[in-house]
Amino acid sequence: MAQTEKKGGLLRKSSASKKPLKEKVVLMYDEIFTTEDPSKCNPRFWEELFLMKVNLEYLEGKLEALDGEELMKIKDNINCLFQHCIQALGEEHPIRVVNALQTLCALIRGVHQKNKSTSGFDIINMLVGFDKAELCMKNLMESLDSLLCAEGSESLKSLCLKLLLCLVTVTDNISQNTILEYVMINSIFEAILQILSSPLSRREHGYDAVVLLALLVNYRKYESVNPYIVKLSIVDDEATLNGMGLVIAQALSEYNRQYKDKEEEHQSGFFSALTNMVGSMFIADADEKISVQTNEAILLALYEAVHLNRNFITVLAQSHPEMGLMTTPTSPIPTTPVTPLGTTPPSSDVISSAELPLDADVQTSNLLITFLKYSSIVMQDTKDEHRLHSGKLCLIILTCIAEDQYANAFLHDDNMNFRVNLHRMPMRHRKKAADKNLPCRPLVCAVLDLMVEFIVTHMMKEFPMDLYVRCIQIVHKLLCYQKKCRVRLHYTWRELWSALINLLKFLMSNETVLLAKHNIFTLALMVVNLFNMFITYGDTFLPTPSSYDELYYEIIRMHQNFDNLYSMVLRLSTNAGQWKEPASKVTHALVNIRRCCFSQGCFWGHKGETGHLGGALKALRVCV
């Protein structure tokens, strides 16, 4: 006799003498997938159905097995099932509500998977029918809104968010998901904010709520008026904004912790010992294997918050003990197999500063520091497509921050000093800096360190031009603020100058290869303009006269690179071709730097007369 088992709705395998035994809910599903109304023979069919435990696998598999023509034949029954699911959401019995939510998830996924090439309007018709779509979707959204705002079961709230995430993510391109028009009309924005502002709800559902909000904001954001964009841009409630910041900080901290754990595990492993024996010959290959799945969903949420809501900028600087993190025990939540954007929420959520451990030995942190650490990890390996997109989004977020006046104020505030341990790509010619040796500095120093690190470590054949342009733009915006407000930042500027000169050298060395893919003159012009800014206005924001002297010394010491750049752009600007105009712009921009280089004779002459570097550079500035 065959062993009793439960797989695909079967309770017992078939044999020669007996038919396969199926669950009752599976038999009821089979009735729905016929052309006749299942409630004809059994008037209580729909009431009984929602008392049965949902078999998601069987229901989705059944939908997937049908072709388009067969699906159209049972359209009335599918519509009826969808409508009865919505009605069941208003029931007092929680079992009916849970089963209705899970059935809706299965229906939405199953119909979309079967009709990927079908227009959104046809899918709406298949699920609910055009004639009843507006009313049914209104009732659905009102029911979900009520469940999310109620003080009832946290499990039900979790399933409501899972259903909404399922609804939003069933299509690859969210703007092609026509059913979201009803989510725009019947807003659940206030319900999401309520979750984020409540410590208990945020602990249980904060991650899903933040991801859902980020996705809804992106629905046809450039094509029509999106009410979620408008509402998010005017949120000024401190508890809500702080709640959103804590959820994002926790998710990024979780990523940083996982990476650090893997890094430590890797360094203590066999391969690490082997590389030490052979002189770290394979260190780069070893560290490439340290990989943690990136979280683009939470990055998108951070971008939208920073980009749309100026009040959120204050949240970036909100101090709290660094999250390592404490895990908060949570009650088990029934879930459906829905994971938006291929990400998983962190294991726990930080709720409020009152719930965080206050320890004198714990490093004070904030959302911006956590984000900078995350960026330093993600931007190490841009060969991976996911990391490339994540790195680009990180730089876009940093650009938004660098453009904001208030953000610049706390970035450059001498009274807000932090020790930021950025992750650095392992390279043979440098040793890893010890964490304990890191100084406490204004946060802008960490941003500049991150930009310098990126510039130095990504000069490769698969040149990430877009990322380099954004990186240089961020540096330029920070310098503009320092010049405007006369902020004299104590920073090791020589590292930045050296990185920029080496970048120019790389562009020239690989001119032929890079010009086949990119307009390298745009990037070269941006770098040259940075030097022009230092030369022309450096005395207003460089910390000391000796820093200004070091700038001239560095330009003169590396004059050969600027001479070579001038020769290259002069050659291309005098020839008719596609690069004539961009090369000419670089030629004109090099005037100040070439004056410095041509003054070498004056420089060394005065150095010999005065006997010290400062006097010579003073004479050089007079010549220039």
Side-chain angles (χ1 to χ4, degrees):
M1 184 177 178
Q3 292 290 323
T4 302
E5 65 175 45
K6 186 176 179 180
K7 185 177 180 181
L10 293 180
L11 293 178
R12 183 182 62 204
K13 287 183 177 180
S14 61
S15 63
S17 58
K18 296 181 180 180
K19 292 183 179 180
L21 184 63
K22 294 184 178 181
E23 296 175 75
K24 183 174 180 180
V25 71
V26 169
L27 294 173
M28 297 183 84
Y29 289 157
D30 288 342
E31 289 185 55
I32 294 171
F33 283 87
T34 62
T35 54
E36 300 202 1
D37 182 359
S39 62
K40 273 187 180 180
C41 300
N42 181 6
R44 295 178 57 83
F45 179 86
W46 298 112
E47 293 178 33
E48 293 176 6
L49 177 66
F50 295 113
L51 289 173
M52 306 288 175
K53 184 179 179 182
V54 179
N55 189 323
L56 290 170
E57 182 184 355
Y58 185 83
L59 184 55
E60 289 185 35
K62 195 77 174 173
L63 284 166
E64 190 177 343
L66 298 174
D67 60 33
E69 204 172 301
E70 290 173 327
L71 199 58
M72 283 304 297
K73 288 179 181 178
I74 62 165
K75 172 185 164 297
D76 291 341
N77 283 355
I78 297 292
N79 291 170
C80 206
L81 174 59
F82 195 89
Q83 290 161 22
H84 278 90
C85 284
I86 295 171
Q87 290 175 18
L89 295 181
E91 298 276 351
E92 292 183 4
H93 203 303
I95 290 179
R96 290 181 184 275
V97 179
V98 168
N99 290 333
L101 288 169
Q102 292 183 332
T103 303
L104 283 169
C105 281
L107 265 180
I108 291 166
R109 280 202 304 269
V111 171
H112 271 86
Q113 286 297 318
K114 192 64 189 175
N115 298 273
K116 281 187 175 181
S117 59
T118 311
S119 72
F121 296 106
D122 289 337
I123 289 173
I124 292 171
N125 187 38
M126 182 64 65
L127 279 173
V128 67
F130 280 134
D131 53 336
K132 298 178 182 176
E134 191 170 336
L135 179 61
C136 283
M137 290 305 298
K138 181 176 180 289
N139 292 337
L140 172 61
M141 296 309 297
E142 286 178 353
S143 297
L144 293 176
D145 186 73
S146 298
L147 290 169
L148 288 172
C149 294
E151 295 182 2
S153 167
E154 297 299 323
S155 301
L156 284 180
K157 291 184 181 180
S158 177
L159 281 174
C160 288
L161 287 169
K162 297 294 183 188
L163 172 59
L164 286 165
L165 285 169
C166 172
L167 192 66
V168 170
T169 58
V170 284
T171 57
D172 293 334
N173 184 343
I174 191 171
S175 293
Q176 294 176 354
N177 190 353
T178 315
I179 204 167
L180 289 188
E181 287 293 336
Y182 299 105
V183 184
M184 297 293 117
I185 297 168
N186 306 284
S187 175
I188 52 163
F189 184 80
E190 286 72 21
I192 295 174
L193 294 195
Q194 184 174 314
I195 289 171
L196 294 176
S197 61
S198 165
L200 177 61
S201 292
R202 185 169 63 243
R203 180 190 296 120
E204 301 285 355
H205 319 297
Y207 181 87
D208 285 345
V210 165
V211 171
L212 176 62
L213 181 58
L215 292 171
L216 290 173
V217 163
N218 278 275
Y219 176 71
R220 295 185 178 173
K221 64 188 299 186
Y222 302 116
E223 302 166 28
S224 60
V225 177
N226 183 324
Y228 290 86
I229 293 178
V230 178
K231 291 180 179 181
L232 179 58
S233 66
I234 59 175
V235 173
D236 58 0
D237 180 66
E238 189 177 346
T240 302
L241 294 174
N242 286 339
M244 184 184 296
L246 284 168
V247 171
I248 294 170
Q250 167 57 20
L252 297 180
S253 294
E254 182 73 9
Y255 178 92
N256 296 345
R257 183 193 61 77
Q258 289 178 13
Y259 181 86
K260 189 174 182 180
D261 289 348
K262 282 202 172 186
E263 187 179 41
E264 289 174 356
E265 178 186 339
H266 183 80
Q267 288 173 352
S268 61
F270 170 76
F271 199 89
S272 177
L274 180 63
T275 54
N276 288 335
M277 289 169 57
V278 296
S280 301
M281 186 185 304
F282 305 110
I283 189 168
D285 296 331
D287 279 82
E288 281 180 4
K289 296 179 182 177
I290 302 174
S291 178
V292 181
Q293 185 182 12
T294 53
N295 195 333
E296 287 83 5
I298 213 71
L299 262 192
L300 181 64
L302 177 58
Y303 164 71
E304 296 299 349
V306 170
H307 175 62
L308 294 175
N309 192 304
R310 290 206 67 233
N311 298 314
F312 189 80
I313 294 293
T314 60
V315 176
L316 296 174
Q318 203 73 269
S319 295
H320 54 69
E322 190 160 25
M323 302 179 204
L325 250 175
M326 290 178 60
T327 54
T328 308
T330 57
S331 56
I333 298 172
T335 60
T336 57
V338 180
T339 307
L341 298 186
T343 63
T344 52
S347 57
S348 64
D349 184 26
V350 178
I351 307 309
S352 68
S353 57
E355 298 171 63
L356 290 165
L358 296 178
D359 188 336
D361 297 325
V362 176
Q363 162 76 18
T364 302
S365 184
N366 56 41
L367 175 54
L368 181 57
I369 292 174
T370 305
F371 170 65
L372 290 174
K373 290 180 180 180
Y374 177 91
S375 301
S376 68
I377 296 170
V378 168
M379 293 196 301
Q380 284 183 21
D381 179 21
T382 56
K383 294 178 182 177
D384 178 80
E385 187 177 0
H386 287 293
R387 285 175 177 260
L388 177 66
H389 294 318
S390 286
K392 181 177 179 180
L393 191 47
C394 287
L395 289 172
I396 292 173
I397 294 169
L398 281 172
T399 302
C400 293
I401 294 170
E403 288 174 343
D404 188 89
Q405 187 78 4
Y406 179 78
N408 268 303
F410 73 71
L411 281 176
H412 292 85
D413 191 345
D414 275 332
N415 298 315
M416 293 177 62
N417 293 330
F418 296 90
R419 185 178 290 110
V420 184
N421 179 28
L422 298 176
H423 293 262
R424 302 180 66 184
M425 186 181 291
M427 302 179 78
R428 297 188 187 95
H429 65 274
R430 69 179 184 189
K431 293 182 179 179
K432 185 176 181 181
D435 295 357
K436 60 184 179 182
N437 295 332
L438 293 171
C440 285
R441 302 175 296 171
L443 284 173
V444 68
C445 295
V447 178
L448 289 171
D449 284 347
L450 182 61
M451 299 301 100
V452 169
E453 177 68 12
F454 180 83
I455 292 170
V456 169
T457 56
H458 288 77
M459 299 178 202
M460 51 193 180
K461 288 183 179 179
E462 293 298 322
F463 190 67
M465 172 64 78
D466 187 29
L467 300 192
Y468 266 97
V469 168
R470 294 182 186 279
C471 180
I472 302 300
Q473 284 175 340
I474 291 168
V475 176
H476 182 257
K477 291 177 191 299
L478 294 174
L479 291 180
C480 286
Y481 176 83
Q482 292 168 24
K483 168 187 167 291
K484 177 183 176 182
C485 299
R486 294 184 175 270
V487 177
R488 296 190 180 277
L489 182 68
H490 289 271
Y491 181 72
T492 50
W493 292 107
R494 179 175 284 184
E495 290 184 6
L496 174 62
W497 300 330
S498 176
L500 294 173
I501 292 171
N502 286 330
L503 175 57
L504 290 176
K505 186 177 179 181
F506 174 81
L507 295 177
M508 290 182 288
S509 301
N510 298 273
E511 173 194 348
T512 306
V513 175
L514 293 177
L515 274 179
K517 302 177 182 178
H518 311 289
N519 177 4
I520 62 173
F521 302 107
T522 301
L523 184 58
L525 180 62
M526 294 173 70
V527 172
V528 171
N529 283 340
L530 279 184
F531 277 105
N532 285 335
M533 194 169 181
F534 277 108
I535 292 169
T536 310
Y537 302 107
D539 57 343
T540 65
F541 61 84
L542 289 174
T544 62
S546 62
S547 300
Y548 203 45
D549 292 342
E550 284 180 4
L551 167 65
Y552 278 85
Y553 179 77
E554 197 68 20
I555 291 173
I556 291 169
R557 188 177 70 85
M558 304 298 289
H559 74 92
Q560 191 63 53
N561 291 298
F562 294 108
D563 290 343
N564 293 342
L565 176 62
Y566 180 76
S567 299
M568 182 184 82
V569 294
L570 185 63
R571 167 171 49 84
L572 289 166
S573 63
T574 53
N575 296 330
Q578 68 178 115
W579 306 120
K580 181 175 182 177
E581 186 177 344
S584 298
K585 291 180 181 179
V586 181
T587 306
H588 297 143
L590 280 166
V591 171
N592 276 349
I593 297 175
R594 294 189 69 234
R595 281 180 182 172
C596 293
C597 297
F598 286 146
S599 301
Q600 288 180 83
C602 175
F603 169 79
W604 293 114
H606 277 275
K607 186 174 188 294
E609 292 171 12
T610 58
H612 61 89
L613 181 61
L617 285 165
K618 184 177 180 182
L620 173 59
R621 290 203 295 274
V622 172
C623 292
V624 175

